[in-house]
Amino acid sequence: AQSVTQLDSQVPVFEEAPVELRCNYSSSVSVYLFWYVQYPNQGLQLLLKYLSGSTLVKGINGFEAEFNKSQTSFHLRKPSVHISDTAEYFCAVGRGATNKLIFGTGTLLAVQP
Amino acid sequence: DAGVIQSPRHEVTEMGQEVTLRCKPISGHDYLFWYRQTMMRGLELLIYFNNNVPIDDSGMPEDRFSAKMPNASFSTLKIQPSEPRDSAVYFCASSKQGAYEQYFGPGTRLTVT
């Protein structure tokens, strides 16, 4: 069975500092990987996705993620964060059989001035 | 595109009452998902449909919960009778066959007193 692990429940960081949010998945078959962002009192919004091809994926708001098959990881990075990046970030994995996604437990990114 | 539409945005009801949540997916999407989000349990998949047919309802917590999709542009999630522990934010999401990424609605915040 597939699973997604987000080890960090909360990541505090100062404004303009770099950040990495970690995501590891378990699956023995090819997977599709996603990062979503949830701002307070809103739904989840797609940040970026990996389906195939280049392992470095760029998304909205200056975020990027790198698919590492050998380490089964899909970490999210941003070189310089803003206060407005404060939100909950969810990693998700899917397989080709259906459009069902397995979501991680989320990481709260708390950007401090 | 209007995105996924959910109504109502907020619902406050008394224990024992029937609650109906509504969702309009993005036009042309084949899959529809219902999720529940709480602080304690995070984001849970309740049920999903493909071409209006329920595929997996293993996440539905009890027989008090039921979901229908009478046509491609409308789905309901019903709770009867409601209980205080049903208080949560309920999200609807849709996706297109082969595209995998899901698009979320703004959610319905349900409070059962």
Side-chain angles (χ1 to χ4, degrees):
Chain A
Q2 295 174 84
S3 68
V4 178
T5 302
Q6 293 182 249
L7 286 173
D8 305 307
S9 60
Q10 187 168 350
V11 173
V13 63
F14 288 107
E15 193 173 20
E16 297 184 5
V19 71
E20 178 180 84
L21 305 184
R22 296 181 293 169
C23 173
N24 288 88
Y25 67 92
S26 64
S27 176
S28 59
V29 298
S30 297
V31 296
Y32 308 106
L33 295 158
F34 307 84
W35 275 99
Y36 283 81
V37 59
Q38 184 179 29
Y39 299 103
N41 300 314
Q42 294 187 25
L44 278 70
Q45 178 184 354
L46 182 66
L47 258 185
L48 48 79
K49 63 184 177 183
Y50 171 80
L51 301 182
S52 64
S54 173
T55 57
L56 184 62
V57 179
K58 294 189 183 297
I60 61 173
N61 301 340
F63 283 92
E64 64 180 31
E66 185 159 18
F67 170 59
N68 188 318
K69 187 174 182 179
S70 63
Q71 298 190 6
T72 60
S73 67
F74 191 56
H75 300 333
L76 181 70
R77 302 186 183 99
K78 186 170 182 178
S80 176
V81 295
H82 303 287
I83 294 287
S84 59
D85 292 323
T86 294
E88 188 94 23
Y89 291 80
F90 292 90
C91 181
V93 62
R95 286 194 298 137
T98 73
N99 282 26
K100 178 180 175 179
L101 297 180
I102 305 298
F103 283 86
T105 52
T107 297
L108 176 62
L109 175 62
V111 182
Q112 305 164 15
Chain B
D1 199 321
V4 176
I5 298 172
Q6 291 187 247
S7 65
R9 292 294 310 277
H10 301 274
E11 177 80 36
V12 180
T13 190
E14 292 183 348
M15 183 175 61
Q17 296 298 307
E18 178 179 294
V19 175
T20 299
L21 311 182
R22 297 172 176 80
C23 175
K24 177 179 170 56
I26 293 173
S27 177
H29 280 194
D30 313 280
Y31 284 86
L32 185 138
F33 303 82
W34 281 102
Y35 292 89
R36 178 173 67 177
Q37 186 177 41
T38 61
M39 289 292 290
M40 292 298 294
R41 300 175 69 90
L43 190 66
E44 302 173 275
L45 175 64
L46 300 177
I47 185 172
Y48 73 96
F49 296 83
N50 180 215
N51 292 323
N52 313 336
V53 176
I55 302 300
D56 182 356
D57 66 354
S58 59
M60 296 286 262
E62 300 171 33
D63 291 344
R64 298 184 296 106
F65 286 70
S66 63
K68 294 181 179 180
M69 192 164 186
N71 56 62
S73 59
F74 184 67
S75 177
T76 59
L77 177 67
K78 185 176 294 186
I79 308 172
Q80 166 63 15
S82 59
E83 296 183 3
R85 60 191 166 128
D86 301 331
S87 297
V89 181
Y90 291 81
F91 289 105
C92 175
S94 69
S95 67
K96 190 169 178 61
Q97 181 80 39
Y100 306 107
E101 64 261 35
Q102 295 179 17
Y103 293 87
F104 282 73
T108 295
R109 182 173 297 275
L110 174 64
T111 302
V112 183
T113 60

